Amino acid sequence: MLVYGLRLLVALITFGVGVTASSLLGLKGKAGCGKHAASRAAVLVAAPAMDAPPPPAPRNSCYFKKRAAAVVHGGVLDGKAVSKPAPLYPAEAMSTGVRGAVAVRVLVGEGGLVETAEAESGPFMLREAAEEAARLARFSPTLLSGEPVKVSGYVTYNFGLR
């Protein structure tokens, strides 16, 4: 009987922590949240199974909807580019023989448009041209669990004398 009492106590504490966390995260009172999650938790508290593992979190819970809004880190995004215009080679850099690769960190929105672009490596004389070209690039939208998400990653522009 003591085992059942301890399991019930643990279930009640877990439920209380979940309700507190959901209210801190602002999930309480939103459509599809709160009431539905509380009713599931109440069923779990009322009838804990002796030897069964805990059930997985529901995939349609508010937690997963919140997570889908986060930015996904995509690494090198050159392969996902639908359109990647070539940068204009700055005349001053060309006349002085500056060449090399410029890595530009981009934030791609849900629709595939570049929201921000910032050069992080490469010759300083070529960085601005690479950033301007990156802002004009277009990417295929990235889906996470069927929902479009923002993606952070890098595109590389190679400047070489011909």
Side-chain angles (χ1 to χ4, degrees):
M1 192 66 178
L2 181 65
V3 173
Y4 291 113
L6 287 176
R7 285 188 179 201
L8 183 59
L9 180 63
V10 169
L12 287 172
I13 291 171
T14 304
F15 174 72
V17 169
V19 168
T20 303
S22 68
S23 67
L24 289 175
L25 291 173
L27 300 177
K28 190 173 181 181
K30 292 186 178 177
C33 300
K35 181 179 177 186
H36 182 67
S39 66
R40 282 186 179 210
V43 170
L44 293 176
V45 170
M50 277 300 291
D51 297 322
R59 296 302 295 182
N60 62 350
S61 72
C62 300
Y63 172 77
F64 291 103
K65 290 179 185 174
K66 275 286 211 200
R67 298 271 303 169
V71 174
V72 174
H73 299 285
V76 178
L77 300 177
D78 290 311
K80 290 197 59 109
V82 174
S83 168
K84 185 182 167 194
L88 297 175
Y89 208 130
E92 185 180 353
M94 189 179 291
S95 65
T96 57
V98 176
R99 60 182 169 197
V102 178
V104 180
R105 183 170 37 99
V106 295
L107 177 63
V108 180
E110 291 92 346
L113 303 177
V114 175
E115 293 182 2
T116 62
E118 183 180 349
E120 293 202 345
S121 68
F124 287 100
M125 294 179 79
L126 303 173
R127 289 184 179 195
E128 188 175 333
E131 287 173 355
E132 289 175 12
R135 285 186 195 97
L136 298 173
R138 302 293 177 256
F139 296 85
S140 58
T142 300
L143 301 178
L144 181 64
S145 299
E147 298 289 324
V149 293
K150 291 184 179 186
V151 178
S152 172
Y154 292 89
V155 291
T156 305
Y157 291 94
N158 294 307
F159 293 82
L161 299 175
R162 295 170 208 244

